[in-house]
């Protein structure tokens, strides 16, 4: 039987215990007089009598869209920041090169100026956006002459592409996932609607995509669609959607291990299903082939038409990047060589190992360790192996659990724990990569007890800490105001610090564990508040100009490590993988 849905209100009457034979349960009397327990529930309180979530869905979509568009009125990454500007210019430039250059030159063109370094689906997306934009104003994407353009009409168009892309992919995927996950968890319709608003109002996603400027929600939307397909038992569609996520941004690899072990576990337990395994393998390979097919066909067409796909070399061909030894075994004049060079170049651009363990300061283990031990003095190969070993060690426990317990309700926890492991320990992590563990962790709000105080406290802590660690990135482009407004608004709506401490001290939970959570979270919230006071009013000493950023890294890495441990511990407990004698009493497994 599904567990009861989380209570979003406080009953004024005590529960009455009802016994039936050997079993007993608590029957909560319905009272006409109830009060919502946090502001977001209060705002949606009039809709609690709605029989269907679809009755209030249009209102939800309009509200979250309004906040996104209002946020986009601010500046963006690289606004009036020459010489190379920022992510906004990178996305505009990719629209430029994909619409103005032959397909075979996309991954080779002018790599010193925001060269294309995302997988093919990003290139196709840029091509489509660029084609539409060129109809409106061809000068927006004129090769070479449009670099660094801050045309306000272009800004509106670029912001609109983020909105439309999100409403076509990410938001439908989240809506469907919340609906399915809530039903599996036994969550009431109104409660799932509250969770949907909380998830779509996640501040980090809005800050990075709609303010700083990127298209992360396209990749995240494909991942959520993959997870939603798993909930529906449509494993082939799950594989297709996840290949699309990988094809849009390589960061989707954070979830790859969990996707693999869940689909594999579903083929082996409770009994081996060879046909299902072969079907998933075939559809995955076919999806990757379809993904790169336009590049292959385009390259062959350009070569046949006499278009030089490497005009910068004047006809000569250097050794292949990553695999220079292959040149001795390949005929550079053969018809297949341009295809080989294209595929190797894509891998080389998408996985920039040459950039080092970390390119910028980010709140993960390696940057925090670098404060004590200068890691750049060690050989690159050693750092790569160390990052690989640490990442594998962190992701094995959650994925072993998911493999032996391939249960649908464990997916968000397993995905979040694995993504935290990647964020903390993997190679070449960016500040914005924290969106990947935050997404599945925030989806927990739609599950059983997801909006109770204990879960809200931890999910809220992770999100607010994630926004705080991205503040140095946002502050560099004068985005302090939207950061403050969106973060505090989300904290207020969910009854979280620093606006409220109502998400703590829940009846029925261990008093010791509640005080421990209050103490730990309180320490981090106090550290974040004091840090903001210091960075506003105190200049760092001249000999340590990055002092505040270094402190941000240390506090953030410690907090994210706690989030990893919390997700892992909940995954262990909810999977029933430990012997009963270790956990006392276990929750009865849910039929799926």
């Amino acid at each position: 039987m599904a567990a009861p849905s989380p209570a979003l209100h406080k009953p004024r009457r005590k529960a009455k215990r009802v016994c039936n034979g050997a079993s007993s349960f608590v029957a909560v009397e319905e009272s006409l007089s109830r009060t919502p327990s946090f502001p977001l529930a209060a705002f949606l309180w009039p809709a609690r009598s709605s029989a269907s979530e679809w009755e209030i869905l249009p209102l939800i979509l309009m509200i979250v869209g309004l906040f996104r568009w209002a946020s986009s009125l601010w500046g963006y990454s690289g606004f009036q920041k020459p010489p190379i500007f920022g992510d906004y210019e990178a996305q505009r430039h990719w629209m430029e090169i994909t619409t103005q250059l032959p397909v075979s030159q996309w991954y080779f063109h002018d790599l010193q100026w925001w060269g294309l370094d995302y997988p093919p689906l990003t290139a196709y997306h840029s091509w489509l956006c660029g084609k539409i934009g060129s109809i409106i104003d061809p000068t927006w994407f004129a090769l070479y002459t449009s670099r660094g353009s801050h045309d306000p009409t272009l800004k509106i168009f670029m912001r609109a592409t983020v909105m439309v892309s999100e409403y076509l992919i990410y938001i439908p995927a989240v809506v469907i996932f919340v609906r399915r996950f809530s039903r599996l968890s036994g969550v009431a319709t109104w409660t799932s609607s509250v969770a949907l608003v909380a998830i779509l109002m996640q501040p980090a996603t809005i800050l990075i995509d709609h303010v700083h400027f990127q298209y992360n929600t396209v990749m995240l939307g494909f991942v959520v669609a993959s997870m939603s397909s798993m909930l529906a038992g449509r494993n082939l569609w799950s594989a297709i959607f996840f290949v699309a996520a990988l094809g849009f941004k390589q960061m989707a690899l954070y979830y790859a291990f969990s996707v693999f072990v869940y689909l594999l576990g579903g083929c082996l337990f409770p009994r081996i299903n060879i046909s299902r395994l072969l079907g998933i393998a075939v559809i995955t390979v076919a999806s990757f082939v379809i993904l790169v097919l336009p590049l292959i066909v385009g390259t062959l067409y350009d070569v046949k038409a006499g278009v030089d796909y490497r005009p910068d070399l004047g006809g000569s061909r250097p050794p292949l990047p990553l695999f220079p030894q292959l040149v001795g075994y390949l005929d550079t004049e053969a018809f297949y060589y341009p295809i080989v060079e294209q595929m190797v170049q894509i891998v080389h651009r998408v996985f920039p190992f040459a950039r080092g363990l970390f390119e910028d300061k980010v709140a993960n283990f390696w940057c925090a360790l670098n404060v004590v031990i200068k890691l750049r003095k060690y050989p690159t190969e050693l750092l790569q192996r160390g990052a690989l070993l640490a990442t594998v060690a962190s992701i094995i426990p959650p994925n072993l659990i998911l493999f032996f317990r391939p249960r649908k309700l464990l997916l968000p926890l397993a995905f979040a724990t694995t993504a935290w492991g990647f964020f903390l320990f993997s190679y070449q992590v960016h500040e914005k990569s924290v969106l990947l563990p935050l997404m599945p962790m925030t989806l927990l709000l739609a599950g059983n007890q997801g909006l109770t105080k204990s879960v809200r406290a931890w999910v809220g802590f992770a999100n607010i800490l994630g926004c705080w660690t991205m503040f140095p990135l946002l502050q560099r482009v004068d985005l302090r105001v939207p950061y403050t407004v969106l973060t505090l608004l989300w904290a207020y709506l969910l009854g979280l610090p620093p606006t409220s401490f109502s998400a703590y001290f829940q009846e029925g939970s261990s008093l010791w564990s509640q005080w421990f959570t209050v103490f730990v979270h309180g320490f981090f919230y106090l550290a974040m508040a004091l840090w903001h006071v210091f960075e506003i009013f105190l200049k760092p000493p001249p000999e340590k100009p990055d002092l505040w950023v270094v402190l941000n890294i240390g506090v953030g890495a410690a907090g994210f490590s706690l989030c990893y441990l919390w997700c892992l511990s909940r995954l262990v407990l909810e999977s029933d993988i430990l012997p009963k004698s270790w956990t006392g009493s276990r929750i009865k497994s849910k039929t799926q």
Side-chain angles (χ1 to χ4, degrees), residues 469-516:
T469 59
M470 291 189 293
F471 176 79
L473 173 72
L474 299 169
Q475 193 271 339
R476 286 200 295 266
V477 288
D478 305 320
L479 298 177
R480 185 187 296 267
V481 172
Y483 156 82
T484 304
V485 171
L486 289 172
T487 305
L488 292 181
L489 173 65
W490 200 75
Y492 166 74
L493 290 175
L494 294 184
L496 300 168
T499 63
S500 170
F501 285 86
S502 64
Y504 297 89
F505 296 111
Q506 177 174 309
E507 294 182 8
S509 299
S510 167
L511 189 62
W512 180 90
S513 65
Q514 293 182 57
W515 272 110
F516 175 78

Side-chain angles (χ1 to χ4, degrees), residues 177 223 227 254-256 258-259 394-395 398-399 402 409-424 433-444 458-459 462-463 560-571:
F177 176 88
V223 174
M227 296 172 66
Y254 279 34
Y255 309 115
S258 295
V259 173
S394 67
I395 67 175
N399 287 287
L402 190 62
L409 294 181
L410 298 180
L411 285 171
L413 278 172
F415 274 57
T417 311
T418 303
W420 279 125
F422 269 97
F423 178 82
L424 287 168
S433 301
V434 75
L435 294 177
L436 282 87
L438 287 180
M439 184 273 288
M441 191 172 179
T442 308
L443 291 178
L444 291 172
W458 276 99
V459 172
N463 275 276
F560 292 149
S561 299
L562 290 177
C563 294
Y564 167 83
L565 294 174
W566 181 82
C567 291
L568 180 60
S569 63
R570 282 188 62 92
L571 180 62

Side-chain angles (χ1 to χ4, degrees), residues 76-195:
Y76 47 80
S77 171
F79 179 65
Q80 296 181 350
K81 301 287 184 181
I84 201 169
F85 305 98
D87 286 343
Y88 176 91
E89 169 61 20
Q91 302 292 342
R92 189 211 61 80
H93 180 59
W94 295 349
M95 296 177 192
E96 176 181 277
I97 63 176
T98 53
T99 55
Q100 302 299 320
L101 294 174
V103 173
S104 58
Q105 295 182 11
W106 288 359
Y107 284 91
F108 293 97
H109 176 75
D110 198 1
L111 301 182
Q112 300 305 313
W113 183 272
W114 296 115
L116 185 57
D117 56 3
Y118 278 174
L121 196 55
T122 287
Y124 307 149
H125 176 263
S126 298
W127 175 85
L128 179 60
C129 293
K131 284 293 185 182
I132 296 173
S134 296
I135 296 174
I136 301 172
D137 189 341
T139 63
W140 289 346
F141 308 111
L143 201 61
Y144 301 113
T145 61
S146 59
R147 292 185 176 183
S149 172
H150 296 302
D151 183 345
T153 309
L154 173 61
K155 174 187 174 181
I156 295 174
F157 171 77
M158 297 289 283
R159 295 297 200 191
T161 61
V162 178
M163 284 279 291
V164 172
S165 298
E166 186 167 332
Y167 269 77
L168 287 176
I169 298 174
Y170 177 73
I171 289 182
V174 171
V175 170
I176 296 172
F177 176 88
V178 168
R179 186 186 187 194
R180 289 174 176 170
F181 193 61
S182 297
R183 286 183 175 180
L184 281 173
S185 305
V187 175
T189 298
W190 177 71
T191 305
S192 68
S193 297
V194 176

Side-chain angles (χ1 to χ4, degrees), residues 81-385:
K81 301 287 184 181
I84 201 169
F85 305 98
D87 286 343
Y88 176 91
E89 169 61 20
Q91 302 292 342
R92 189 211 61 80
H93 180 59
W94 295 349
M95 296 177 192
E96 176 181 277
I97 63 176
T98 53
T99 55
Q100 302 299 320
L101 294 174
V103 173
S104 58
Q105 295 182 11
W106 288 359
Y107 284 91
F108 293 97
H109 176 75
D110 198 1
L111 301 182
Q112 300 305 313
W113 183 272
W114 296 115
L116 185 57
D117 56 3
Y118 278 174
L121 196 55
T122 287
Y124 307 149
H125 176 263
S126 298
W127 175 85
L128 179 60
C129 293
K131 284 293 185 182
I132 296 173
S134 296
I135 296 174
I136 301 172
D137 189 341
T139 63
W140 289 346
F141 308 111
L143 201 61
Y144 301 113
T145 61
S146 59
R147 292 185 176 183
S149 172
H150 296 302
D151 183 345
T153 309
L154 173 61
K155 174 187 174 181
I156 295 174
F157 171 77
M158 297 289 283
R159 295 297 200 191
T161 61
V162 178
M163 284 279 291
V164 172
S165 298
E166 186 167 332
Y167 269 77
L168 287 176
I169 298 174
Y170 177 73
I171 289 182
V174 171
V175 170
I176 296 172
F177 176 88
V178 168
R179 186 186 187 194
R180 289 174 176 170
F181 193 61
S182 297
R183 286 183 175 180
L184 281 173
S185 305
V187 175
T189 298
W190 177 71
T191 305
S192 68
S193 297
V194 176
L196 177 63
V197 178
I199 293 167
L200 294 181
M201 286 295 292
Q202 184 186 20
T205 303
I206 300 177
L207 283 169
I208 294 302
D209 277 20
H210 296 275
V211 183
H212 190 268
F213 198 89
Q214 275 200 345
Y215 297 93
N216 292 289
T217 49
V218 177
M219 178 268 292
L220 294 174
F222 283 128
V223 174
V224 176
S226 178
M227 296 172 66
S228 183
S229 298
M230 293 176 187
L231 296 182
R234 299 170 182 170
N235 293 336
L236 297 182
W237 276 108
S238 176
I240 292 172
F241 283 129
F242 190 69
V243 170
L246 285 172
F248 196 85
K249 280 199 174 186
Q250 61 270 36
M251 289 190 302
L253 284 170
Y254 279 34
Y255 309 115
F257 212 73
S258 295
V259 173
F260 172 76
V261 298
Y262 177 82
L263 294 179
L264 180 61
C267 295
L268 300 180
F269 302 106
R271 60 182 179 275
I272 298 176
N273 191 328
I274 298 298
S275 61
R276 179 184 297 175
L277 180 62
L278 290 176
I280 293 173
V282 169
I283 201 69
T284 301
V285 173
S287 299
F288 275 112
V289 170
I290 294 173
L291 183 68
V292 300
L293 191 59
L295 281 168
I296 294 175
V297 173
T299 300
L300 290 175
Y301 176 83
D302 289 345
V303 171
K304 186 176 181 180
V307 176
D308 188 359
Y309 62 96
R310 295 296 305 273
D312 56 313
L313 299 178
S316 61
R317 293 289 176 261
L320 292 171
L322 300 179
F323 310 106
Q325 64 277 8
L326 288 180
V327 176
Y329 300 94
L330 300 175
D331 181 5
T332 58
E333 302 300 325
F335 77 94
Y336 61 79
Y337 187 79
I339 300 174
V340 173
E341 191 167 24
Q342 283 286 339
M343 296 300 103
V344 173
Q345 179 70 1
I346 291 174
V347 174
H348 174 60
R349 294 293 300 162
V350 169
F351 299 103
F353 293 111
R355 295 182 185 176
L357 182 62
F358 51 87
E359 191 174 10
D360 203 351
K361 297 178 177 64
V362 55
N364 73 343
F365 173 78
W366 301 115
C367 285
L369 180 63
N370 189 66
V371 177
V372 182
I373 304 173
K374 300 304 177 184
L375 297 176
R376 296 187 188 276
K377 66 182 180 181
Y378 293 99
T380 301
E381 294 77 11
L382 178 63
L383 297 177
Q384 289 176 349
R385 293 172 185 171

